[in-house]
Amino acid sequence: GLLHRAFSVFILNDNNQLMLQRRALEKYHSGGLWTNTCCSHPRKGEAVEEAAHRRLQEEMGFDCPVNKAFDFIYRAELDQGLTEHEFDHLFIGRYNGEPNINPAEVVEWKWMGIEEVKTDMNQHPENYTAWFKIIFDRFYQNLMAQS
């Protein structure tokens, strides 16, 4: 539960749909749950944006330009008795292709409209990772504030 650096990547297509991944079933926590395009932690000495590009390639098999949208601190209780306490940086990118998912990380992926994600997350919160629910809410609030 110690506070540590992290990043989350949201990839949108030209239809403003968000690319979601379902975590591999074998992951040590939150396996089989839907979440944002990718997320992880920078390595020691690695810039956060550099880490975002690295993990996008490692998990989803592609890379694209990303821009930092905002950062914030959150704490979430996970399965397996774990706690996530992160200083999280959200990066947003645009991509219209198909990923080449890494099956050790991702079991499946899909595009979903922003409102569709919000509705489904409200109706079926158990299908989503704890951190994605928090980050998506912040993302959605920022999106609505810009509208």
Side-chain angles (χ1 to χ4, degrees):
L2 294 176
L3 181 63
H4 59 279
R5 293 184 315 150
F7 61 85
S8 299
V9 180
F10 281 26
I11 299 298
L12 300 164
N13 64 18
D14 286 345
N15 295 322
N16 270 337
Q17 295 172 311
L18 178 60
M19 181 184 285
L20 300 183
Q21 66 152 282
R22 191 161 74 93
R23 290 171 57 86
L25 302 176
E26 303 80 23
K27 296 294 275 187
Y28 72 97
H29 69 77
S30 309
L33 297 180
W34 287 99
T35 196
N36 49 288
T37 313
C38 83
C39 56
S40 191
H41 308 95
R43 295 176 177 153
K44 185 175 182 175
E46 183 179 36
V48 179
E49 185 172 340
E50 182 182 314
H53 286 288
R54 174 180 53 81
R55 286 305 290 172
L56 190 56
Q57 184 66 49
E58 290 172 355
E59 291 184 29
M60 303 304 287
F62 72 91
D63 194 13
C64 66
V66 296
N67 295 305
K68 186 173 170 185
F70 57 85
D71 49 45
F72 66 102
I73 295 173
Y74 78 93
R75 186 179 186 96
E77 302 300 319
L78 307 178
D79 57 347
Q80 310 298 330
L82 298 173
T83 299
E84 204 64 281
H85 188 196
E86 296 186 332
F87 178 50
D88 195 39
H89 305 266
L90 177 65
F91 291 92
I92 299 174
R94 293 269 174 189
Y95 182 75
N96 288 296
E98 292 207 5
N100 181 21
I101 60 173
N102 176 350
E105 299 284 345
V106 179
V107 70
E108 66 181 305
W109 72 278
K110 63 183 173 182
W111 292 109
M112 280 183 81
I114 303 298
E115 293 297 332
E116 185 183 7
V117 173
K118 183 173 175 43
T119 299
D120 194 59
M121 196 177 287
N122 286 333
Q123 292 175 351
H124 305 285
E126 70 281 1
N127 293 339
Y128 295 90
T129 62
W131 64 87
F132 180 51
K133 290 183 272 192
I134 294 166
I135 296 163
F136 182 82
D137 186 55
R138 299 273 179 130
F139 166 77
Y140 191 83
Q141 288 175 17
N142 277 11
L143 197 63
M144 293 300 102
Q146 294 173 8
S147 298

